[in-house]
Amino acid sequence: MTPPDVVFSLPFAPVKPRSLRLPCKHIERTPLTHGARLGSSRLGSEPSTATCSMETAAEHERILREIESTDTNCIGPTLRSVYDGQEHGLFMDKLDVRIRNHDREIEKMCNHHFQGFVDSITELLKVRGEAQKLKSQVTETNRRLQDDGKDLMGSMEELKQCRVQQRNIATTVDKLTHCLPVLEMYSRLQEQMRAKRYYPALLTLEQLEQTCLPRAGQYRFCSIMAENIPRLRTQIRDTAMTQLRDFLESIRKHSDKIGETAIKQVPGAQELVDFSPVYRCLHIYTVLGLREAFENYYRKQRRKQARLVLQPHSNMHETLEGYRRYFNQIVGFFVVEDHVLHTTQGLVNRAYVEELWELALSKIVAALRTHSSYCDDPDLVLDLKNLIVLFADTLQGYGFPVSQLFDMLLEMRDQYGEILLKRWNVTFRQVLDQDNYSPIPVSTEQEYRHYTSQFPQQDPELEKLPFPKKLPFSEFVPKVYCQLKEFIYACLKYSEDLHLSSTEVDDMIRKSTNLLLTRTLSHCLHYAIKKKNVGLAELVQLIINTTHLEQSCHFLEEFISNITNVPPDTANTTKLYGTSTFKDARHAAEAEIYTSLNAKIDQFLQLADYDWLAAVQGGGTLTASDYLVDLIAFLKSTFSVFTNLPGKVAQTACMSACKHISTCLMQLLLDPDVRQISLGALHQLNADVRECEVTGTVHAVGLVDLPGRLWKTHLQVPEGESSHGAGAAGEDEGDEQEEQRLCPIQEDGPRPTETHRRHHQAAAQPHRAAPRLSGPSARPPARTCDLIGSLNPNTSLRTSCRPFGLFRSASRLKRHWLRTKMERGC
């Protein structure tokens, strides 16, 4: 009876059942039968065995030993060697013999141990029952173990799965540790790109490419990211450049506001501009290795904008706003460049900024010279000057040299002075045209102080007079004086903030004031003097006005010294030329008085209508001609307005009038058209001259009576021929003979001599050398047409003059006339 097979599950290995050997008798029988079978099969092969050689036998023995000692898995080559040879039959015989020998040994061994085997079987059968019980117990134990092992196996399977998951999780965590930074960084990159934070995005991109992607490993998303990196760089570069272009366009449009803020001195003008596009683009191009290209591009674009900013508008000179906008744009441009210079490292350098400023300075100066030349408004020029000063001071605060601008302002000062002169020329002419050329009446102390506050009038005698009273000058004087001070103030305004010394300011004001006096005011005064409708009263008042203005020149000197704080006695101080200006104007007015007075006299004398062939009237006294009576009345009324003139001027005017009348009367006699003259005509002329003599004094102007002055000036006779008695007998006959000898005068006789023409010219312009009052022995000027003196120039003259009627007879006067005509070539 064989023991049952016991099979164990985990942890036990299954046990295969084995068969029990048969008793020895059975064992012996089987091999013997087999041996007998082998023996019977080899009976017929013995002859071949006997013929086997010794070498073959030894070889077969070796093979058998090898088969016995070698593992059955390795006997293949050995058996092949037997079959390859020709003696395999003999080998089979030897093999059978060897088997039989072993069988015999086995039988012997089995016979020897058979009883023990039987005993063992007997014991085994005894144990069989117990083994069955044990098998049942083992089976039950195995079942219970299997039941209990199911939970364990499940737990173990779960543990195995957990171990796998844990390993996978660890692997995943490790991979995610390297991948998550890539994803996070790429997400940050996308967010930065959306937020247009391109410089951080470029840094993130660089870190992603150089650090994170190599650590992440070979993943598909990593390769996609790596492929997108160049495209993202290009996108960032292009976007940054687009933002830079927008920035450049923005500051070009808003440079006006930037400059306006900077000029107003409000701190932080550069804060009006967002410079982040510049910094961002600079950093991006630096990271990309294109910094030099970016610097060149930025400078090129800013140079182009500088040329646009420095190009003024064609109508900029029309309004101050045009200049202000021009300056604001320039200041805004250089404020931006200065900020970029100090906040970037090398984008622009000092040499580049200075080069731009030199270009700008030359363009600015040229533009201002051109456009300011069109300006004719001094207020606009003054405002422009103040604007240029603010412009220069602002840029100087940013470190830019502005000396050329102040030099240009000094050039504009001359232009400003010329414009002021033009304006004051109009002002002076308006004052002269609107003046009534009458002394100013004042009725109250308040009015008097009003005028004296405008003009420094110092006349103690006038102040003592009771009200109402008159100031000696007209409204023209205080108005002109006030305008002179206004002009000085206007010049002073221009000199402010030009960084000039007090001496320079004083010199500038004095030179400009001299131009105003010697050129503008002088021309205006001459214009007023030469006007067609100006009368003698107006000319007289002009002389009085210029006299007072001349006296006020030292007050102007003090006024300029007070506002410039430069004493008038300082060395190299320019003096005012007002004295000479007013003197010249006064002399011109005086000459115009003489000319106007003579013109009026000529108008009266043109009415003279002498009948040179009139017959001698018998009986009665001849009356003066009407024209001469009117002329004397006119002179009386005219000289009455000469009261306030300086004595010398009044005397000269009177002398000029007397000389002109005398000359004109003489010209009537010496007229080449007068070919004949009668005694009746001479009697009438004699009566007119006597009228001048007997007429009383003209006016208390410090002169002798007009008729006496007239005679003393021209119509004088030699002492030897002055007598109230009749001449010697036969004297008249001699005169008649001489008259017959001298007359008639030929119609085609010669024209007046050059001396006559010079005398006529002297009569037309008596103001050039008006005769002075002479003493008893004074001789009349050689240029006067002295009728009698021309007959005998060597005869002395006397002061006790007589009219023509005091000659012995009219015939003698006629003889003298004829002789004079002959001597003069008439």
Side-chain angles (χ1 to χ4, degrees), residues 5-68:
D5 294 333
V6 180
V7 180
F8 295 95
S9 299
L10 284 177
F12 303 103
V15 179
K16 296 182 179 180
R18 60 177 181 174
S19 310
L20 296 177
R21 291 195 176 187
L22 296 175
C24 294
K25 292 181 179 181
H26 177 72
I27 294 173
E28 290 177 354
R29 185 171 49 248
T30 301
L32 290 176
T33 302
H34 179 69
R37 187 175 59 252
L38 289 176
S40 63
S41 64
R42 292 186 184 130
L43 290 178
S45 61
E46 289 179 359
S48 61
T49 306
T51 63
C52 182
S53 63
M54 294 298 292
E55 291 82 0
T56 303
E59 179 64 24
H60 289 170
E61 187 65 28
R62 184 189 63 79
I63 292 172
L64 290 174
R65 287 197 300 273
E66 186 175 353
I67 290 172
E68 290 176 350

Side-chain angles (χ1 to χ4, degrees), residues 592-608:
E592 191 65 24
I593 287 177
Y594 307 148
T595 302
S596 178
L597 187 59
N598 292 342
K600 289 289 186 180
I601 293 173
D602 289 338
Q603 292 176 6
F604 284 99
L605 291 175
Q606 287 175 359
L607 301 177

Side-chain angles (χ1 to χ4, degrees), residues 31 33-50 64 83 87-101 103-104:
T33 302
H34 179 69
R37 187 175 59 252
L38 289 176
S40 63
S41 64
R42 292 186 184 130
L43 290 178
S45 61
E46 289 179 359
S48 61
T49 306
L64 290 174
Y83 286 98
E87 302 297 335
H88 63 279
L90 182 58
F91 175 75
M92 291 300 295
D93 292 340
K94 286 186 174 291
L95 181 59
D96 288 339
V97 173
R98 182 65 60 90
I99 291 173
R100 285 193 299 270
N101 290 333
D103 285 340
R104 283 194 295 271

Side-chain angles (χ1 to χ4, degrees), residues 238-481:
D238 295 342
T239 305
M241 182 55 68
T242 301
Q243 290 185 349
L244 178 67
R245 293 192 185 100
D246 295 340
F247 167 78
L248 293 175
E249 182 66 20
S250 175
I251 60 174
R252 187 185 69 84
K253 292 180 179 179
H254 296 89
S255 59
D256 187 11
K257 289 293 184 183
I258 301 170
E260 181 182 2
T261 304
I263 289 177
K264 289 180 179 178
Q265 306 299 319
V266 177
Q270 61 275 6
E271 294 179 1
L272 299 175
V273 182
D274 180 15
F275 289 91
S276 58
V278 179
Y279 306 144
R280 186 183 305 116
C281 199
L282 174 63
H283 295 328
I284 288 173
Y285 272 74
T286 302
V287 173
L288 295 176
L290 301 173
R291 180 185 179 96
E292 184 176 358
F294 174 73
E295 291 177 358
N296 294 333
Y297 175 82
Y298 177 83
R299 296 180 184 182
K300 181 179 179 181
Q301 295 301 316
R302 290 297 280 167
R303 283 193 182 95
K304 290 182 180 179
Q305 290 189 351
R307 293 188 182 94
L308 293 176
V309 167
L310 295 172
Q311 184 65 33
H313 298 288
S314 59
N315 58 346
M316 182 179 71
H317 59 276
E318 295 179 358
T319 60
L320 185 66
E321 189 61 31
Y323 289 105
R324 180 177 288 110
R325 183 177 181 185
Y326 178 66
F327 289 138
N328 288 345
Q329 289 178 348
I330 296 174
V331 172
F333 178 88
F334 282 99
V335 165
V336 170
E337 289 305 291
D338 182 76
H339 186 74
V340 171
L341 173 65
H342 289 89
T343 56
T344 60
Q345 297 178 353
L347 178 57
V348 295
N349 51 31
R350 176 59 64 181
Y352 160 79
V353 176
E354 289 178 354
E355 177 187 356
L356 278 182
W357 174 241
E358 289 296 328
L359 172 66
L361 202 55
S362 61
K363 296 281 188 182
I364 293 168
V365 171
L368 290 177
R369 283 174 178 167
T370 300
H371 286 269
S372 62
S373 63
Y374 298 124
C375 183
D376 56 358
D377 183 2
D379 295 332
L380 180 58
V381 175
L382 187 62
D383 293 337
L384 175 60
K385 166 256 171 182
N386 294 330
L387 192 60
I388 294 175
V389 170
L390 282 176
F391 171 74
D393 290 343
T394 301
L395 288 175
Q396 190 174 26
Y398 284 91
F400 295 99
V402 293
S403 58
Q404 290 188 30
L405 292 176
F406 284 100
D407 293 341
M408 189 206 62
L409 286 175
L410 295 180
E411 295 177 10
M412 287 179 59
R413 178 182 61 184
D414 298 333
Q415 178 188 352
Y416 176 73
E418 290 296 328
I419 297 174
L420 287 181
L421 293 178
K422 291 180 182 179
R423 167 174 280 192
W424 258 259
N425 180 64
V426 175
T427 302
F428 286 148
R429 291 205 176 194
Q430 290 177 350
V431 171
L432 289 170
D433 291 339
Q434 296 171 3
D435 194 36
N436 58 6
Y437 295 97
S438 300
I440 302 175
V442 289
S443 56
T444 63
E445 180 71 21
Q446 184 178 0
E447 290 183 6
Y448 183 79
R449 296 307 173 191
H450 169 71
Y451 286 108
T452 56
S453 64
Q454 292 181 347
F455 181 76
Q457 167 69 16
Q458 293 181 352
D459 190 350
E461 294 182 0
L462 181 63
E463 291 183 358
K464 294 178 181 179
L465 295 178
F467 292 99
K469 53 188 174 181
K470 290 184 178 181
L471 299 176
F473 44 80
S474 66
E475 294 278 354
F476 160 66
V477 172
K479 288 182 179 179
V480 167
Y481 188 81

Side-chain angles (χ1 to χ4, degrees), residues 772-784:
R772 298 184 294 112
L773 290 175
S774 57
S777 62
R779 182 180 180 87
R783 62 196 178 104
T784 63

Side-chain angles (χ1 to χ4, degrees), residues 79-91:
L79 295 177
R80 179 175 296 279
S81 64
V82 175
Y83 286 98
D84 289 341
Q86 299 298 327
E87 302 297 335
H88 63 279
L90 182 58
F91 175 75

Side-chain angles (χ1 to χ4, degrees), residues 631-800:
L631 174 60
I632 293 175
F634 164 74
L635 292 177
K636 287 181 178 180
S637 63
T638 299
F639 287 149
S640 65
V641 301
F642 288 3
T643 306
N644 295 327
L645 283 177
K648 185 177 180 180
V649 177
Q651 293 174 5
T652 304
C654 182
M655 290 294 295
S656 175
C658 294
K659 176 183 177 181
H660 189 65
I661 294 172
S662 176
T663 302
C664 291
L665 290 176
M666 185 67 69
Q667 292 299 324
L668 291 175
L669 291 174
L670 300 178
D671 192 345
D673 293 335
V674 179
R675 302 299 181 181
Q676 301 181 49
I677 188 169
S678 64
L679 290 177
L682 291 176
H683 282 289
Q684 182 61 50
L685 183 62
N686 180 51
D688 291 342
V689 176
R690 287 180 61 85
E691 178 66 20
C692 294
E693 182 181 19
V694 301
T695 303
T697 58
V698 177
H699 198 273
V701 292
L703 300 174
V704 296
D705 59 298
L706 175 61
R709 177 64 60 186
L710 178 62
W711 279 99
K712 288 181 179 180
T713 304
H714 295 289
L715 301 181
Q716 299 179 3
V717 297
E719 287 185 357
E721 297 182 359
S722 178
S723 175
H724 294 280
E731 189 173 11
D732 293 338
E733 290 81 358
D735 294 337
E736 292 177 358
Q737 292 175 358
E738 187 175 14
E739 178 181 359
Q740 294 175 357
R741 181 173 60 85
L742 295 176
C743 293
I745 300 174
Q746 300 296 327
E747 292 294 330
D748 56 351
R751 304 298 298 171
T753 62
E754 182 64 27
T755 304
H756 183 107
R757 286 195 296 270
R758 285 198 300 268
H759 288 181
H760 182 72
Q761 292 174 358
Q765 297 179 349
H767 59 277
R768 294 189 177 273
R772 298 184 294 112
L773 290 175
S774 57
S777 62
R779 182 180 180 87
R783 62 196 178 104
T784 63
C785 296
D786 190 347
L787 175 62
I788 305 302
S790 63
L791 300 179
N792 188 3
N794 295 324
T795 304
S796 62
L797 302 178
R798 65 181 189 176
T799 58
S800 179

